[in-house]
Amino acid sequence: MARIVIPDDSPPQIKGTKALEKLEKWGEVELYNERASSQEEFIGRLKGREVVVNIRAYSKFTREVLGQCSPSLKLLSVLGTGVDNIDLSAAREHGILVTNTPGFAAPAVAEHALALMLAASRQITQLDKQVKNGGWPRGLVQQLFGKTLGIVGLGAIGGHLARLAKGIGMKVIAWTFHPSRERAEEYGVEFVSFHDLFKQADVISVNLRLSDKTTDLVGKRQFELMKSTAILVNTARGAIVNKQALIDALTYGKIAGAGLDTFYEEPIPPDDPLLKLENVVLTPHSAGMTPETIERGAQMAVDNVINFLKGSPINMVK
């Protein structure tokens, strides 16, 4: 039986799922539902284990952490798509295979991105607040029908969002690191240059994985290219968008608004300037938190473990 640990199921996500029951048939599983109080405690949970199932991005698998878990640790199965919390170079050096669950949350995250687009364009949160305070505001809001959505990163989430946006009558353009005619036809989008996407789009949705290539990918130059009526939506990772450039763009009216589900620091600090801006809709990194997504992601993470133990690993992160 394999020695398996889930060190970070806090708040609980895999606890009580059918996936966990399935995993327990393949090894001795130790589950922690409280966040480790220190790196030392975190390392202590991992030491001597062959398999780690990573639930939360706040768990940082640094070079030091992975070094102290070697040579026993063989597999790090991530429940999620992003692996920016893992030193992949160190994992390779120590012979630790990393797997993830691509596309598991695509429908939920795409729906959330669409909801943020609508909330920001229709000023839902501002109007809701004013009505509850006794007001009856009048004024114009933006409609999305006939507008152009620019998708930055046409993976599973971006592709699903493209279909949703076309369903409400939007034109969809996209930029990605690896464009192809086949993907353009599959999702019904037009690939354009990075520069042109920011110039043309009325709404821009960020749907990329965080990496060295994508950190601060959207910055001051991109906001200068955007229309003053444009809206930015980010359901990917906060660090993809330069924080100060975003705050400046929203504060000084370079863009009309934003819908954000992810931030530089999480939870967002109480003194963060974004909290004071009326033209921003904020949610607590909850885009993928649906019962269907949780169960599917857990099943995929567990299946990655089982396939590894069978000698046929899948969903490997390079």
Side-chain angles (χ1 to χ4, degrees):
M1 298 285 281
R3 294 167 295 171
I4 303 169
V5 64
I6 305 172
D8 53 3
D9 192 31
S10 177
Q13 183 166 339
I14 198 170
K15 181 181 179 181
T17 63
K18 294 179 181 178
L20 181 58
E21 294 178 10
K22 185 177 181 181
L23 183 64
E24 289 171 338
K25 297 176 182 179
W26 287 83
E28 300 173 2
V29 180
E30 189 167 0
L31 174 67
Y32 291 89
N33 290 127
E34 293 183 0
R35 189 168 177 169
S37 60
S38 65
Q39 179 169 287
E40 290 71 26
E41 182 182 350
F42 181 58
I43 292 172
R45 295 178 179 183
L46 309 180
K47 273 190 171 180
R49 302 291 177 168
E50 297 166 285
V51 174
V52 173
V53 179
N54 169 221
I55 307 295
R56 298 296 177 184
Y58 61 66
S59 293
K60 306 300 181 184
F61 295 87
T62 63
R63 179 172 293 274
E64 179 184 356
V65 169
L66 295 175
Q68 292 202 41
C69 296
S70 178
S72 60
L73 182 58
K74 302 299 181 186
L75 174 68
L76 180 50
S77 175
V78 179
L79 199 171
T81 304
V83 290
D84 46 289
N85 60 322
I86 302 168
D87 189 324
L88 295 175
S89 176
R92 285 190 292 269
E93 290 174 16
H94 290 289
I96 301 168
L97 184 68
V98 179
T99 61
N100 66 352
T101 56
F104 83 104
V109 177
E111 284 183 10
H112 198 88
L114 179 62
L116 289 174
M117 290 162 51
L118 288 164
S121 65
R122 291 281 172 167
Q123 301 177 27
I124 297 295
T125 55
Q126 300 99 308
L127 295 174
D128 173 77
K129 182 179 179 180
Q130 291 178 53
V131 172
K132 287 177 178 176
N133 287 335
W136 198 253
R138 283 292 181 263
L140 298 177
V141 296
Q142 292 192 53
Q143 72 175 38
L144 296 184
F145 180 86
K147 298 297 196 310
T148 297
L149 169 63
I151 297 178
V152 180
L154 196 69
I157 295 171
H160 198 90
L161 177 59
R163 293 190 175 111
L164 293 178
K166 288 175 68 66
I168 62 169
M170 298 188 79
K171 174 185 176 182
V172 183
I173 59 176
W175 173 88
T176 187
F177 284 111
H178 305 290
S180 68
R181 185 193 310 173
E182 291 75 20
R183 292 173 73 190
E185 292 176 353
E186 179 182 1
Y187 296 119
V189 307
E190 175 190 354
F191 281 117
V192 297
S193 72
F194 194 61
H195 179 278
D196 285 343
L197 183 140
F198 283 86
K199 285 186 65 177
Q200 296 177 24
D202 298 292
V203 181
I204 292 171
S205 178
V206 179
N207 301 101
L208 285 169
R209 199 171 82 183
L210 181 62
S211 68
D212 291 340
K213 290 182 178 180
T214 61
T215 300
D216 285 339
L217 182 69
V218 180
K220 181 180 179 181
R221 175 57 178 153
Q222 284 67 49
F223 286 114
E224 289 173 344
L225 292 171
M226 290 172 67
K227 301 175 183 179
S228 61
T229 54
I231 292 167
L232 179 82
V233 171
N234 188 1
T235 55
R237 287 290 188 269
I240 297 173
V241 180
N242 183 274
K243 180 179 179 179
Q244 193 56 54
L246 172 61
I247 291 170
D248 288 345
L250 291 166
T251 302
Y252 300 113
K254 295 178 183 177
I255 63 173
L260 308 174
D261 185 56
T262 184
F263 309 91
Y264 259 70
E265 297 177 70
E266 295 184 358
I268 188 169
D271 60 347
D272 194 300
L274 288 170
L275 297 176
K276 298 179 181 179
L277 296 173
E278 291 291 330
N279 55 346
V280 186
V281 181
L282 308 176
T283 54
H285 206 151
S286 57
M289 297 303 293
T290 68
E292 296 87 352
T293 291
I294 289 171
E295 187 65 50
R296 183 172 183 227
Q299 288 285 356
M300 289 181 70
V302 167
D303 286 343
N304 285 343
V305 173
I306 293 172
N307 278 284
F308 169 79
L309 295 175
K310 288 180 175 180
S312 305
I314 58 173
N315 296 322
M316 294 171 286
V317 177
K318 298 179 181 179

